[in-house]
């Protein structure tokens, strides 16, 4: 019994300290996300990952931050 999982790579431009949380889709694998959290101690990154998981209707554990932990431009891996 084999289990195969696939993944997609998503590029995200983030806006921490926003007044509201919002996702804008710029393509099938390109998102722009506004989060209320400050970019301190990974809080904004965690919320970005949670919103991406919600957007793709996946559990949070299926979204991994690959690149951009300290920048506004991030690369995430979504395991399907």
């Amino acid at each position: 019994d084999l289990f195969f999982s696939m993944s997609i790579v998503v590029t995200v431009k983030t806006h921490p300290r926003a007044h509201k949380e919002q996702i804008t889709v710029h393509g099938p694998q390109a998102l722009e996300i506004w989060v209320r959290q400050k970019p301190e101690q990974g809080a904004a990154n965690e919320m970005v990952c949670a919103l991406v998981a919600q957007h793709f209707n996946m559990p949070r554990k299926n979204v991994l931050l690959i690149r951009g932990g300290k920048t506004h431009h991030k690369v995430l891996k979504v395991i399907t």
Side-chain angles (χ1 to χ4, degrees):
D1 200 19
L2 296 174
F3 175 75
F4 292 99
S5 66
M6 297 182 62
S7 63
I8 58 172
V9 175
V10 180
T11 59
V12 179
K13 181 177 181 185
T14 60
H15 302 275
R17 295 186 180 135
H19 294 291
K20 64 179 181 174
E21 292 173 349
Q22 176 183 328
I23 296 178
T24 300
V25 178
H26 292 292
Q29 294 171 266
L31 303 172
E32 190 166 358
I33 299 179
W34 287 259
V35 295
R36 292 181 177 160
Q37 286 71 15
K38 295 178 183 179
E40 296 172 357
Q41 299 175 349
N45 287 338
E46 180 58 35
M47 183 52 72
V48 166
C49 289
L51 288 173
V52 169
Q54 182 181 359
H55 176 75
F56 286 103
N57 199 26
M58 295 285 166
R60 164 61 189 93
K61 67 180 182 178
N62 286 29
V63 179
L64 307 171
L65 178 64
I66 296 175
R67 199 174 322 133
K70 296 186 178 189
T71 70
H72 291 282
H73 298 277
K74 303 183 184 308
V75 178
L76 303 175
K77 181 178 184 179
V78 180
I79 301 168
T80 59

